[in-house]
Amino acid sequence: APFVCVRRARTPPPSAVDTRTFMEKNWKLKRPQVLLSITGAINDFALDPEESEELMAGLAETAKSVGGWFLTSGSHSGMAKYMGKALKLHADKVPIIGVVGLGTLKGRNAFRWRE
């Protein structure tokens, strides 16, 4: 998946507008009408298959109807995991953007970026 590393040490630090413009220009994302932040416990939780399908269908329907970008914790657990699954299954053209600290990623040394 494409990624951008926003480094705080850069002077001046990149703004939210800089980051959005980068995603629009380089990833060809349409400017969002709204940003929706999906938050919740980072701990994994289990739903029975019917509840899981209902939740994912509802998230996907919301995603398609609002014309926005979805922001998550970028983790593969909790609500972020369900959001990722929902969009993959039901609305794969809706942007989902995980915001995560590089230090929390397994295999983070594999990431390469240009200054």
Side-chain angles (χ1 to χ4, degrees):
F3 74 96
V4 61
C5 183
V6 179
R7 302 192 63 185
R8 291 181 295 171
R10 196 178 107 193
T11 305
S15 70
V17 172
D18 293 337
T19 305
R20 187 202 69 218
T21 301
F22 174 89
M23 291 187 287
E24 289 171 352
K25 180 179 176 187
N26 295 286
W27 297 348
K28 309 295 185 231
L29 295 180
K30 184 179 173 191
R31 182 171 287 189
Q33 297 299 309
V34 66
L35 293 175
L36 297 166
S37 179
I38 303 298
T39 60
I42 197 155
N43 298 331
D44 238 347
F45 58 90
L47 296 174
D48 68 49
E50 188 176 310
E51 289 174 324
S52 175
E53 183 55 37
E54 249 181 70
L55 173 65
M56 289 191 296
L59 288 170
E61 188 57 38
T62 301
K64 289 189 286 189
S65 69
V66 299
W69 294 356
F70 282 78
L71 304 175
T72 74
S73 64
S75 67
H76 188 65
S77 62
M79 281 302 293
K81 181 167 103 177
Y82 279 103
M83 189 72 217
K85 283 183 178 181
L87 296 184
K88 184 176 181 180
L89 291 171
H90 302 287
D92 65 343
K93 301 295 184 209
V94 175
I96 182 169
I97 300 160
V99 179
V100 62
L102 190 60
T104 65
L105 296 176
K106 291 181 182 176
R108 64 186 160 272
N109 294 332
F111 286 91
R112 306 271 189 256
W113 55 78
R114 294 180 298 254
E115 291 293 333

Short mmCIF file of all heavy atoms in Angstrom, two decimals, residues 47-115:
data_model
loop_
_atom_site.label_atom_id
_atom_site.label_comp_id
_atom_site.label_asym_id
_atom_site.label_seq_id
_atom_site.Cartn_x
_atom_site.Cartn_y
_atom_site.Cartn_z
N LEU A 47 -16.71 -10.47 17.13
CA LEU A 47 -18.14 -10.38 16.90
C LEU A 47 -18.55 -11.68 16.23
O LEU A 47 -17.76 -12.29 15.50
CB LEU A 47 -18.47 -9.21 15.97
CG LEU A 47 -18.15 -7.81 16.46
CD1 LEU A 47 -18.42 -6.79 15.35
CD2 LEU A 47 -18.98 -7.46 17.68
N ASP A 48 -19.81 -12.08 16.46
CA ASP A 48 -20.25 -13.26 15.73
C ASP A 48 -20.38 -12.88 14.26
O ASP A 48 -20.44 -11.69 13.92
CB ASP A 48 -21.53 -13.86 16.31
CG ASP A 48 -22.76 -12.98 16.14
OD1 ASP A 48 -23.00 -12.52 15.01
OD2 ASP A 48 -23.49 -12.79 17.14
N PRO A 49 -20.38 -13.84 13.34
CA PRO A 49 -20.38 -13.53 11.90
C PRO A 49 -21.50 -12.59 11.46
O PRO A 49 -21.28 -11.71 10.62
CB PRO A 49 -20.50 -14.90 11.25
CG PRO A 49 -19.91 -15.85 12.24
CD PRO A 49 -20.27 -15.28 13.59
N GLU A 50 -22.69 -12.75 12.02
CA GLU A 50 -23.81 -11.88 11.62
C GLU A 50 -23.57 -10.44 12.06
O GLU A 50 -23.79 -9.50 11.29
CB GLU A 50 -25.12 -12.41 12.23
CG GLU A 50 -26.35 -11.68 11.72
CD GLU A 50 -27.64 -12.28 12.27
OE1 GLU A 50 -27.80 -13.52 12.19
OE2 GLU A 50 -28.45 -11.50 12.79
N GLU A 51 -23.11 -10.24 13.30
CA GLU A 51 -22.81 -8.89 13.80
C GLU A 51 -21.67 -8.27 12.99
O GLU A 51 -21.73 -7.09 12.65
CB GLU A 51 -22.40 -8.93 15.27
CG GLU A 51 -23.51 -9.24 16.23
CD GLU A 51 -22.99 -9.41 17.64
OE1 GLU A 51 -21.88 -9.94 17.84
OE2 GLU A 51 -23.72 -9.00 18.57
N SER A 52 -20.67 -9.07 12.70
CA SER A 52 -19.52 -8.58 11.94
C SER A 52 -19.96 -8.11 10.56
O SER A 52 -19.57 -7.02 10.11
CB SER A 52 -18.49 -9.70 11.81
OG SER A 52 -17.43 -9.30 10.99
N GLU A 53 -20.77 -8.89 9.87
CA GLU A 53 -21.25 -8.52 8.53
C GLU A 53 -22.12 -7.26 8.59
O GLU A 53 -21.99 -6.38 7.74
CB GLU A 53 -22.01 -9.67 7.89
CG GLU A 53 -22.47 -9.39 6.48
CD GLU A 53 -21.35 -8.98 5.52
OE1 GLU A 53 -20.23 -9.50 5.63
OE2 GLU A 53 -21.60 -8.10 4.68
N GLU A 54 -22.97 -7.16 9.60
CA GLU A 54 -23.81 -5.96 9.77
C GLU A 54 -22.96 -4.72 9.97
O GLU A 54 -23.21 -3.68 9.37
CB GLU A 54 -24.74 -6.14 10.98
CG GLU A 54 -26.20 -6.28 10.62
CD GLU A 54 -27.04 -6.42 11.88
OE1 GLU A 54 -27.18 -5.43 12.63
OE2 GLU A 54 -27.56 -7.53 12.08
N LEU A 55 -21.98 -4.83 10.86
CA LEU A 55 -21.10 -3.70 11.15
C LEU A 55 -20.35 -3.29 9.88
O LEU A 55 -20.31 -2.11 9.52
CB LEU A 55 -20.10 -4.06 12.25
CG LEU A 55 -19.01 -3.02 12.53
CD1 LEU A 55 -19.61 -1.73 13.07
CD2 LEU A 55 -17.97 -3.58 13.49
N MET A 56 -19.77 -4.26 9.19
CA MET A 56 -18.97 -3.94 8.00
C MET A 56 -19.84 -3.37 6.88
O MET A 56 -19.44 -2.42 6.20
CB MET A 56 -18.18 -5.16 7.55
CG MET A 56 -17.05 -5.49 8.51
SD MET A 56 -15.89 -6.71 7.89
CE MET A 56 -16.92 -8.15 7.75
N ALA A 57 -21.04 -3.89 6.69
CA ALA A 57 -21.94 -3.36 5.66
C ALA A 57 -22.33 -1.91 6.00
O ALA A 57 -22.37 -1.05 5.12
CB ALA A 57 -23.17 -4.24 5.52
N GLY A 58 -22.61 -1.64 7.27
CA GLY A 58 -22.96 -0.28 7.69
C GLY A 58 -21.81 0.69 7.52
O GLY A 58 -22.00 1.82 7.04
N LEU A 59 -20.61 0.28 7.89
CA LEU A 59 -19.44 1.14 7.71
C LEU A 59 -19.21 1.43 6.23
O LEU A 59 -18.95 2.56 5.84
CB LEU A 59 -18.19 0.47 8.30
CG LEU A 59 -18.10 0.40 9.82
CD1 LEU A 59 -16.94 -0.49 10.25
CD2 LEU A 59 -17.95 1.79 10.43
N ALA A 60 -19.34 0.39 5.40
CA ALA A 60 -19.11 0.57 3.96
C ALA A 60 -20.17 1.48 3.34
O ALA A 60 -19.85 2.34 2.51
CB ALA A 60 -19.09 -0.78 3.27
N GLU A 61 -21.41 1.31 3.73
CA GLU A 61 -22.49 2.15 3.19
C GLU A 61 -22.25 3.61 3.57
O GLU A 61 -22.42 4.51 2.74
CB GLU A 61 -23.84 1.67 3.68
CG GLU A 61 -25.01 2.37 3.03
CD GLU A 61 -25.01 2.25 1.50
OE1 GLU A 61 -24.65 1.18 0.97
OE2 GLU A 61 -25.35 3.25 0.84
N THR A 62 -21.87 3.84 4.80
CA THR A 62 -21.54 5.20 5.24
C THR A 62 -20.39 5.74 4.42
O THR A 62 -20.44 6.88 3.94
CB THR A 62 -21.19 5.20 6.74
OG1 THR A 62 -22.29 4.71 7.48
CG2 THR A 62 -20.82 6.59 7.22
N ALA A 63 -19.36 4.94 4.25
CA ALA A 63 -18.19 5.38 3.50
C ALA A 63 -18.55 5.79 2.09
O ALA A 63 -18.11 6.83 1.60
CB ALA A 63 -17.16 4.25 3.46
N LYS A 64 -19.36 5.00 1.41
CA LYS A 64 -19.73 5.31 0.03
C LYS A 64 -20.62 6.54 -0.07
O LYS A 64 -20.54 7.30 -1.03
CB LYS A 64 -20.43 4.12 -0.61
CG LYS A 64 -19.49 2.95 -0.89
CD LYS A 64 -20.14 1.87 -1.71
CE LYS A 64 -21.11 1.06 -0.91
NZ LYS A 64 -21.61 -0.12 -1.62
N SER A 65 -21.46 6.77 0.94
CA SER A 65 -22.46 7.84 0.84
C SER A 65 -21.92 9.23 1.17
O SER A 65 -22.49 10.22 0.73
CB SER A 65 -23.66 7.52 1.73
OG SER A 65 -23.30 7.62 3.10
N VAL A 66 -20.84 9.33 1.93
CA VAL A 66 -20.40 10.65 2.38
C VAL A 66 -19.32 11.30 1.52
O VAL A 66 -19.05 12.49 1.66
CB VAL A 66 -19.92 10.63 3.86
CG1 VAL A 66 -21.03 10.22 4.79
CG2 VAL A 66 -18.69 9.77 4.03
N GLY A 67 -18.69 10.55 0.63
CA GLY A 67 -17.65 11.14 -0.21
C GLY A 67 -16.45 11.63 0.57
O GLY A 67 -15.88 12.68 0.26
N GLY A 68 -16.08 10.89 1.59
CA GLY A 68 -14.97 11.33 2.43
C GLY A 68 -13.83 10.36 2.49
O GLY A 68 -13.80 9.35 1.81
N TRP A 69 -12.87 10.72 3.30
CA TRP A 69 -11.74 9.87 3.60
C TRP A 69 -11.94 9.37 5.03
O TRP A 69 -12.43 10.10 5.89
CB TRP A 69 -10.44 10.63 3.55
CG TRP A 69 -10.03 11.14 2.21
CD1 TRP A 69 -10.66 10.96 1.01
CD2 TRP A 69 -8.88 11.95 1.94
NE1 TRP A 69 -9.98 11.60 0.02
CE2 TRP A 69 -8.88 12.21 0.55
CE3 TRP A 69 -7.87 12.47 2.72
CZ2 TRP A 69 -7.89 12.98 -0.05
CZ3 TRP A 69 -6.89 13.23 2.11
CH2 TRP A 69 -6.90 13.47 0.74
N PHE A 70 -11.54 8.15 5.28
CA PHE A 70 -11.61 7.58 6.62
C PHE A 70 -10.21 7.52 7.22
O PHE A 70 -9.27 7.07 6.56
CB PHE A 70 -12.23 6.18 6.59
CG PHE A 70 -13.71 6.22 6.46
CD1 PHE A 70 -14.31 6.47 5.24
CD2 PHE A 70 -14.52 6.04 7.57
CE1 PHE A 70 -15.69 6.53 5.11
CE2 PHE A 70 -15.90 6.10 7.46
CZ PHE A 70 -16.47 6.34 6.22
N LEU A 71 -10.08 7.99 8.44
CA LEU A 71 -8.81 7.95 9.16
C LEU A 71 -8.93 6.92 10.27
O LEU A 71 -9.92 6.90 11.00
CB LEU A 71 -8.50 9.32 9.77
CG LEU A 71 -8.46 10.50 8.81
CD1 LEU A 71 -8.27 11.79 9.57
CD2 LEU A 71 -7.35 10.31 7.79
N THR A 72 -7.91 6.06 10.38
CA THR A 72 -7.89 5.07 11.46
C THR A 72 -6.53 5.12 12.15
O THR A 72 -5.62 5.84 11.72
CB THR A 72 -8.13 3.63 10.95
OG1 THR A 72 -6.96 3.17 10.28
CG2 THR A 72 -9.34 3.55 10.04
N SER A 73 -6.38 4.27 13.14
CA SER A 73 -5.11 4.17 13.87
C SER A 73 -4.04 3.45 13.06
O SER A 73 -2.88 3.42 13.46
CB SER A 73 -5.33 3.41 15.18
OG SER A 73 -5.72 2.06 14.89
N GLY A 74 -4.41 2.87 11.94
CA GLY A 74 -3.44 2.17 11.11
C GLY A 74 -3.07 0.80 11.62
O GLY A 74 -2.20 0.14 11.06
N SER A 75 -3.73 0.34 12.66
CA SER A 75 -3.40 -0.97 13.23
C SER A 75 -4.32 -2.03 12.63
O SER A 75 -5.34 -1.73 12.03
CB SER A 75 -3.56 -0.95 14.75
OG SER A 75 -4.92 -0.78 15.09
N HIS A 76 -3.92 -3.27 12.79
CA HIS A 76 -4.75 -4.38 12.33
C HIS A 76 -5.42 -5.02 13.55
O HIS A 76 -5.27 -6.21 13.83
CB HIS A 76 -3.90 -5.41 11.57
CG HIS A 76 -4.71 -6.46 10.89
ND1 HIS A 76 -5.59 -6.18 9.87
CD2 HIS A 76 -4.82 -7.79 11.12
CE1 HIS A 76 -6.18 -7.30 9.49
NE2 HIS A 76 -5.74 -8.28 10.23
N SER A 77 -6.14 -4.18 14.28
CA SER A 77 -6.87 -4.65 15.46
C SER A 77 -8.01 -3.69 15.75
O SER A 77 -8.07 -2.58 15.23
CB SER A 77 -5.93 -4.74 16.67
OG SER A 77 -5.42 -3.46 16.99
N GLY A 78 -8.95 -4.15 16.55
CA GLY A 78 -10.07 -3.32 16.97
C GLY A 78 -10.89 -2.79 15.80
O GLY A 78 -11.06 -3.44 14.77
N MET A 79 -11.41 -1.58 15.96
CA MET A 79 -12.27 -0.98 14.94
C MET A 79 -11.53 -0.73 13.63
O MET A 79 -12.12 -0.83 12.56
CB MET A 79 -12.87 0.34 15.44
CG MET A 79 -14.06 0.18 16.37
SD MET A 79 -15.42 -0.75 15.62
CE MET A 79 -15.96 0.37 14.34
N ALA A 80 -10.24 -0.42 13.70
CA ALA A 80 -9.47 -0.19 12.46
C ALA A 80 -9.47 -1.44 11.60
O ALA A 80 -9.57 -1.36 10.37
CB ALA A 80 -8.04 0.24 12.80
N LYS A 81 -9.36 -2.60 12.22
CA LYS A 81 -9.37 -3.86 11.47
C LYS A 81 -10.72 -4.07 10.79
O LYS A 81 -10.78 -4.42 9.61
CB LYS A 81 -9.06 -5.03 12.41
CG LYS A 81 -9.04 -6.37 11.71
CD LYS A 81 -8.43 -7.43 12.60
CE LYS A 81 -9.49 -8.30 13.20
NZ LYS A 81 -8.91 -9.39 14.01
N TYR A 82 -11.82 -3.82 11.50
CA TYR A 82 -13.15 -3.97 10.91
C TYR A 82 -13.37 -2.98 9.78
O TYR A 82 -13.96 -3.30 8.76
CB TYR A 82 -14.25 -3.85 11.97
CG TYR A 82 -14.43 -5.13 12.74
CD1 TYR A 82 -13.93 -5.27 14.02
CD2 TYR A 82 -15.11 -6.20 12.18
CE1 TYR A 82 -14.09 -6.45 14.71
CE2 TYR A 82 -15.27 -7.39 12.87
CZ TYR A 82 -14.76 -7.51 14.15
OH TYR A 82 -14.91 -8.68 14.82
N MET A 83 -12.87 -1.76 9.95
CA MET A 83 -13.02 -0.75 8.91
C MET A 83 -12.28 -1.19 7.65
O MET A 83 -12.81 -1.09 6.54
CB MET A 83 -12.48 0.60 9.40
CG MET A 83 -12.76 1.75 8.49
SD MET A 83 -14.50 2.19 8.54
CE MET A 83 -14.77 2.61 6.84
N GLY A 84 -11.06 -1.66 7.79
CA GLY A 84 -10.29 -2.13 6.65
C GLY A 84 -10.97 -3.28 5.93
O GLY A 84 -11.07 -3.29 4.70
N LYS A 85 -11.50 -4.23 6.69
CA LYS A 85 -12.21 -5.37 6.09
C LYS A 85 -13.48 -4.90 5.37
O LYS A 85 -13.79 -5.36 4.28
CB LYS A 85 -12.58 -6.39 7.16
CG LYS A 85 -11.45 -7.26 7.63
CD LYS A 85 -11.98 -8.27 8.63
CE LYS A 85 -10.90 -9.20 9.11
NZ LYS A 85 -11.45 -10.20 10.07
N ALA A 86 -14.20 -3.99 6.00
CA ALA A 86 -15.45 -3.50 5.42
C ALA A 86 -15.21 -2.85 4.07
O ALA A 86 -15.92 -3.12 3.09
CB ALA A 86 -16.12 -2.49 6.36
N LEU A 87 -14.21 -2.00 3.99
CA LEU A 87 -13.95 -1.30 2.74
C LEU A 87 -13.40 -2.25 1.69
O LEU A 87 -13.72 -2.12 0.51
CB LEU A 87 -13.02 -0.11 2.97
CG LEU A 87 -13.61 0.98 3.86
CD1 LEU A 87 -12.67 2.17 3.95
CD2 LEU A 87 -14.98 1.43 3.38
N LYS A 88 -12.59 -3.20 2.10
CA LYS A 88 -12.06 -4.17 1.14
C LYS A 88 -13.18 -5.00 0.52
O LYS A 88 -13.20 -5.26 -0.68
CB LYS A 88 -11.04 -5.08 1.83
CG LYS A 88 -10.37 -6.06 0.90
CD LYS A 88 -9.32 -6.87 1.62
CE LYS A 88 -8.63 -7.82 0.66
NZ LYS A 88 -7.61 -8.60 1.34
N LEU A 89 -14.15 -5.39 1.34
CA LEU A 89 -15.24 -6.24 0.87
C LEU A 89 -16.35 -5.49 0.14
O LEU A 89 -16.96 -6.00 -0.78
CB LEU A 89 -15.86 -7.00 2.05
CG LEU A 89 -14.99 -8.07 2.70
CD1 LEU A 89 -15.65 -8.57 3.97
CD2 LEU A 89 -14.74 -9.21 1.73
N HIS A 90 -16.64 -4.26 0.59
CA HIS A 90 -17.85 -3.58 0.14
C HIS A 90 -17.63 -2.25 -0.58
O HIS A 90 -18.54 -1.76 -1.24
CB HIS A 90 -18.79 -3.33 1.32
CG HIS A 90 -19.19 -4.57 2.04
ND1 HIS A 90 -20.09 -5.48 1.51
CD2 HIS A 90 -18.82 -5.06 3.25
CE1 HIS A 90 -20.25 -6.47 2.37
NE2 HIS A 90 -19.49 -6.25 3.42
N ALA A 91 -16.50 -1.62 -0.38
CA ALA A 91 -16.33 -0.26 -0.92
C ALA A 91 -14.84 0.00 -1.16
O ALA A 91 -14.27 0.93 -0.61
CB ALA A 91 -16.91 0.76 0.05
N ASP A 92 -14.23 -0.81 -2.02
CA ASP A 92 -12.77 -0.75 -2.15
C ASP A 92 -12.22 0.52 -2.76
O ASP A 92 -11.03 0.74 -2.77
CB ASP A 92 -12.25 -1.98 -2.90
CG ASP A 92 -12.72 -2.04 -4.35
OD1 ASP A 92 -13.69 -1.34 -4.69
OD2 ASP A 92 -12.11 -2.78 -5.12
N LYS A 93 -13.06 1.41 -3.26
CA LYS A 93 -12.58 2.67 -3.84
C LYS A 93 -12.60 3.82 -2.84
O LYS A 93 -12.22 4.94 -3.16
CB LYS A 93 -13.41 3.06 -5.06
CG LYS A 93 -13.40 2.03 -6.17
CD LYS A 93 -12.02 1.87 -6.77
CE LYS A 93 -12.08 0.91 -7.93
NZ LYS A 93 -10.86 0.18 -8.13
N VAL A 94 -13.06 3.57 -1.62
CA VAL A 94 -13.12 4.61 -0.60
C VAL A 94 -11.78 4.68 0.12
O VAL A 94 -11.28 3.67 0.61
CB VAL A 94 -14.25 4.30 0.42
CG1 VAL A 94 -14.24 5.32 1.55
CG2 VAL A 94 -15.60 4.28 -0.27
N PRO A 95 -11.15 5.86 0.16
CA PRO A 95 -9.85 5.98 0.82
C PRO A 95 -9.92 5.74 2.32
O PRO A 95 -10.77 6.30 3.02
CB PRO A 95 -9.42 7.42 0.54
CG PRO A 95 -10.24 7.85 -0.63
CD PRO A 95 -11.54 7.10 -0.50
N ILE A 96 -9.04 4.89 2.81
CA ILE A 96 -8.87 4.68 4.24
C ILE A 96 -7.40 4.95 4.54
O ILE A 96 -6.52 4.40 3.89
CB ILE A 96 -9.32 3.28 4.69
CG1 ILE A 96 -9.18 3.13 6.20
CG2 ILE A 96 -8.60 2.19 3.96
CD1 ILE A 96 -9.83 1.89 6.76
N ILE A 97 -7.16 5.85 5.47
CA ILE A 97 -5.81 6.31 5.76
C ILE A 97 -5.48 5.98 7.20
O ILE A 97 -6.15 6.43 8.12
CB ILE A 97 -5.70 7.84 5.51
CG1 ILE A 97 -6.04 8.11 4.04
CG2 ILE A 97 -4.33 8.35 5.89
CD1 ILE A 97 -6.43 9.53 3.75
N GLY A 98 -4.46 5.15 7.36
CA GLY A 98 -3.99 4.78 8.69
C GLY A 98 -2.90 5.73 9.13
O GLY A 98 -1.93 5.95 8.41
N VAL A 99 -3.05 6.30 10.30
CA VAL A 99 -2.05 7.20 10.86
C VAL A 99 -1.40 6.46 12.02
O VAL A 99 -2.05 6.15 13.02
CB VAL A 99 -2.69 8.52 11.34
CG1 VAL A 99 -1.63 9.43 11.94
CG2 VAL A 99 -3.43 9.21 10.21
N VAL A 100 -0.13 6.15 11.86
CA VAL A 100 0.55 5.31 12.83
C VAL A 100 1.98 5.82 13.03
O VAL A 100 2.60 6.32 12.10
CB VAL A 100 0.54 3.83 12.36
CG1 VAL A 100 1.28 3.66 11.06
CG2 VAL A 100 1.07 2.90 13.41
N GLY A 101 2.45 5.69 14.25
CA GLY A 101 3.83 6.04 14.53
C GLY A 101 4.76 4.99 13.96
O GLY A 101 4.54 3.80 14.13
N LEU A 102 5.80 5.41 13.26
CA LEU A 102 6.72 4.48 12.63
C LEU A 102 7.33 3.52 13.64
O LEU A 102 7.55 2.34 13.35
CB LEU A 102 7.82 5.26 11.89
CG LEU A 102 8.73 4.48 10.98
CD1 LEU A 102 7.94 3.81 9.87
CD2 LEU A 102 9.81 5.38 10.40
N GLY A 103 7.55 3.98 14.84
CA GLY A 103 8.15 3.15 15.87
C GLY A 103 7.29 1.97 16.31
O GLY A 103 7.79 1.03 16.93
N THR A 104 6.00 1.99 16.00
CA THR A 104 5.11 0.91 16.42
C THR A 104 4.99 -0.19 15.37
O THR A 104 4.37 -1.22 15.62
CB THR A 104 3.70 1.43 16.72
OG1 THR A 104 3.12 1.95 15.52
CG2 THR A 104 3.72 2.51 17.78
N LEU A 105 5.58 0.01 14.18
CA LEU A 105 5.43 -0.96 13.10
C LEU A 105 6.45 -2.08 13.19
O LEU A 105 7.63 -1.83 13.41
CB LEU A 105 5.59 -0.27 11.74
CG LEU A 105 4.56 0.78 11.38
CD1 LEU A 105 4.93 1.42 10.04
CD2 LEU A 105 3.18 0.18 11.31
N LYS A 106 5.98 -3.30 12.98
CA LYS A 106 6.91 -4.41 12.83
C LYS A 106 7.56 -4.26 11.46
O LYS A 106 6.93 -3.88 10.50
CB LYS A 106 6.16 -5.74 12.89
CG LYS A 106 5.62 -6.07 14.25
CD LYS A 106 4.93 -7.41 14.22
CE LYS A 106 4.34 -7.72 15.58
NZ LYS A 106 3.58 -8.97 15.57
N GLY A 107 8.84 -4.56 11.37
CA GLY A 107 9.53 -4.46 10.10
C GLY A 107 9.73 -3.04 9.62
O GLY A 107 9.90 -2.80 8.42
N ARG A 108 9.70 -2.08 10.52
CA ARG A 108 9.79 -0.67 10.12
C ARG A 108 11.09 -0.34 9.39
O ARG A 108 11.15 0.60 8.63
CB ARG A 108 9.60 0.24 11.33
CG ARG A 108 10.68 0.11 12.38
CD ARG A 108 10.34 0.93 13.63
NE ARG A 108 11.08 0.49 14.78
CZ ARG A 108 10.68 -0.47 15.61
NH1 ARG A 108 9.55 -1.09 15.41
NH2 ARG A 108 11.40 -0.81 16.65
N ASN A 109 12.13 -1.14 9.61
CA ASN A 109 13.40 -0.88 8.93
C ASN A 109 13.32 -1.13 7.43
O ASN A 109 14.18 -0.70 6.68
CB ASN A 109 14.52 -1.72 9.55
CG ASN A 109 14.78 -1.31 10.99
OD1 ASN A 109 14.56 -0.16 11.36
ND2 ASN A 109 15.21 -2.24 11.81
N ALA A 110 12.27 -1.82 6.99
CA ALA A 110 12.09 -2.08 5.56
C ALA A 110 11.59 -0.85 4.81
O ALA A 110 11.68 -0.81 3.59
CB ALA A 110 11.11 -3.24 5.36
N PHE A 111 11.07 0.13 5.52
CA PHE A 111 10.56 1.33 4.87
C PHE A 111 11.72 2.20 4.42
O PHE A 111 12.65 2.45 5.17
CB PHE A 111 9.64 2.13 5.81
CG PHE A 111 8.31 1.50 6.02
CD1 PHE A 111 8.09 0.61 7.05
CD2 PHE A 111 7.27 1.79 5.15
CE1 PHE A 111 6.86 0.01 7.22
CE2 PHE A 111 6.03 1.20 5.32
CZ PHE A 111 5.84 0.32 6.35
N ARG A 112 11.63 2.65 3.21
CA ARG A 112 12.65 3.53 2.63
C ARG A 112 11.94 4.79 2.16
O ARG A 112 10.87 4.72 1.58
CB ARG A 112 13.32 2.88 1.43
CG ARG A 112 13.90 1.53 1.70
CD ARG A 112 15.35 1.66 2.18
NE ARG A 112 15.95 0.35 2.22
CZ ARG A 112 16.17 -0.32 3.34
NH1 ARG A 112 15.81 0.19 4.49
NH2 ARG A 112 16.75 -1.50 3.33
N TRP A 113 12.54 5.93 2.36
CA TRP A 113 11.94 7.16 1.87
C TRP A 113 13.02 8.11 1.41
O TRP A 113 14.17 8.02 1.80
CB TRP A 113 11.03 7.81 2.90
CG TRP A 113 11.71 8.09 4.22
CD1 TRP A 113 12.55 9.12 4.51
CD2 TRP A 113 11.58 7.33 5.42
NE1 TRP A 113 12.96 9.04 5.81
CE2 TRP A 113 12.37 7.96 6.39
CE3 TRP A 113 10.87 6.19 5.76
CZ2 TRP A 113 12.48 7.48 7.66
CZ3 TRP A 113 10.99 5.72 7.05
CH2 TRP A 113 11.77 6.35 7.98
N ARG A 114 12.60 9.03 0.58
CA ARG A 114 13.50 10.08 0.09
C ARG A 114 13.28 11.31 0.94
O ARG A 114 12.18 11.64 1.31
CB ARG A 114 13.16 10.41 -1.36
CG ARG A 114 13.43 9.27 -2.31
CD ARG A 114 13.06 9.70 -3.71
NE ARG A 114 11.64 10.02 -3.79
CZ ARG A 114 10.73 9.24 -4.39
NH1 ARG A 114 11.07 8.13 -4.94
NH2 ARG A 114 9.47 9.61 -4.43
N GLU A 115 14.35 11.99 1.20
CA GLU A 115 14.27 13.25 1.95
C GLU A 115 13.76 14.33 1.03
O GLU A 115 13.98 14.36 -0.13
CB GLU A 115 15.64 13.65 2.49
CG GLU A 115 16.09 12.74 3.59
CD GLU A 115 15.26 12.82 4.87
OE1 GLU A 115 14.65 13.86 5.14
OE2 GLU A 115 15.21 11.82 5.58
#
